[in-house]
């Protein structure tokens, strides 16, 4: 009889404890959910600022002049080579833009010291007139041979030296005598339209004179 009474008491105790265990379990689950909610959510990233529209490439005020200078300076050695080929051989001793830059006049000195004149189109690729032999006396021949002998720089190298001194378009270039020395003498038209007259030593390329041409 005593055993039955103890068993009944344990069952009552267990039944009484069940609601408490369930409540604790529910409390634990609720606590876990609250912890997750308490974690601060990452702040919504601000919308990316619109990238500024790519600005159009700036164009220098002398952009067109620079393009024209490049075209003219590229054409010069081409015109010189075309003229020399038309003659057959020789040394280009002078080249000059004509008719507002629409053609080139080129002088080529052959081995006998005589000059031949050739006209070439603006891009330097096509002969438009000549070769025409120039009338030369003994003094002309001697001077031409002297110029050719002293000119270590070709016409193309001389043109490049001029544009390194003053940026612009070489409109005229030729061998000449200055203070007893042979020089390449040329004109460079800069972006503003100012003409610079430059002399460089025909052998070394050293600048001898560099002046602004003020003639109208």
């Amino acid at each position: 009889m005593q055993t039955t009474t103890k068993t009944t008491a344990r069952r009552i105790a267990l039944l009484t404890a069940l609601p408490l265990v369930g409540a604790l379990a529910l409390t634990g689950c609720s606590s876990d959910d609250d912890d997750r909610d308490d974690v601060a959510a990452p702040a919504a990233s601000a919308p990316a600022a619109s990238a500024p529209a790519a600005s159009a490439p700036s164009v220098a005020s002398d952009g067109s002049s620079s393009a024209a200078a490049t075209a003219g300076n590229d054409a010069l050695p081409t015109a010189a080579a075309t003229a020399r080929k038309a003659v057959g051989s020789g040394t280009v001793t002078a080249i000059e833009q004509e008719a507002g830059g629409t053609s080139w006049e080129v002088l080529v000195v052959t081995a006998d010291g005589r000059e031949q004149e050739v006209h070439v189109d603006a891009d330097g690729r096509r002969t438009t007139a000549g070769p025409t032999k120039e009338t030369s006396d003994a003094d002309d021949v001697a001077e031409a041979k002297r110029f050719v002998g002293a000119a270590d720089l070709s016409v193309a190298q001389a043109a490049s030296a001029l544009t390194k001194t003053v940026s612009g378009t070489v409109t005229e270039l030729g061998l000449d005598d200055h203070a007893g020395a042979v020089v390449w003498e040329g004109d460079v038209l800069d972006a503003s339209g100012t003409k610079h007259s430059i002399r460089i030593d025909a052998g070394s390329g050293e600048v001898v004179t560099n002046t602004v041409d003020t003639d109208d």
Side-chain angles (χ1 to χ4, degrees), residues 63-91:
S64 58
S65 298
S66 297
T70 301
N73 293 332
D74 286 346
L76 184 149
T78 304
T82 298
R84 186 176 181 278
K85 184 177 179 180
V87 172
S89 64
T91 302

Side-chain angles (χ1 to χ4, degrees), residues 4-185:
T4 301
T5 301
K6 289 181 179 179
T7 300
T8 300
R10 281 199 297 271
R11 286 178 181 173
I12 291 170
L14 287 172
L15 290 173
T16 302
L18 284 175
L20 179 60
V21 173
L24 290 173
L26 289 173
T27 301
C29 291
S30 177
S31 175
D32 288 344
D33 288 342
D34 289 343
D35 287 344
R36 283 195 298 271
D37 290 341
D38 287 344
V39 175
S45 56
S50 300
S55 56
S58 59
V59 178
S61 60
D62 63 345
S64 58
S65 298
S66 297
T70 301
N73 293 332
D74 286 346
L76 184 149
T78 304
T82 298
R84 186 176 181 278
K85 184 177 179 180
V87 172
S89 64
T91 302
V92 174
T93 58
I95 186 166
E96 179 180 0
Q97 280 188 352
E98 288 190 308
T102 59
S103 63
W104 297 92
E105 179 183 290
V106 188
L107 289 181
V108 180
V109 172
T110 52
D112 60 4
R114 297 189 178 276
E115 291 180 341
Q116 296 197 40
E117 183 177 295
V118 184
H119 293 261
V120 182
D121 65 0
D123 65 6
R125 298 182 182 280
R126 186 174 62 89
T127 301
T128 57
T132 303
K133 290 183 179 181
E134 298 288 288
T135 301
S136 303
D137 59 23
D139 289 340
D140 294 333
V141 169
E143 183 179 66
K145 287 183 176 181
R146 174 172 168 256
F147 285 173
V148 170
D152 291 336
L153 271 66
S154 69
V155 67
Q157 291 171 326
S160 178
L162 259 62
T163 56
K164 286 178 181 176
T165 303
V166 173
S167 179
T169 305
V170 178
T171 58
E172 183 176 355
L173 181 60
L175 288 169
D176 203 352
D177 194 298
H178 176 72
V182 178
V183 296
W184 279 107
E185 184 177 73

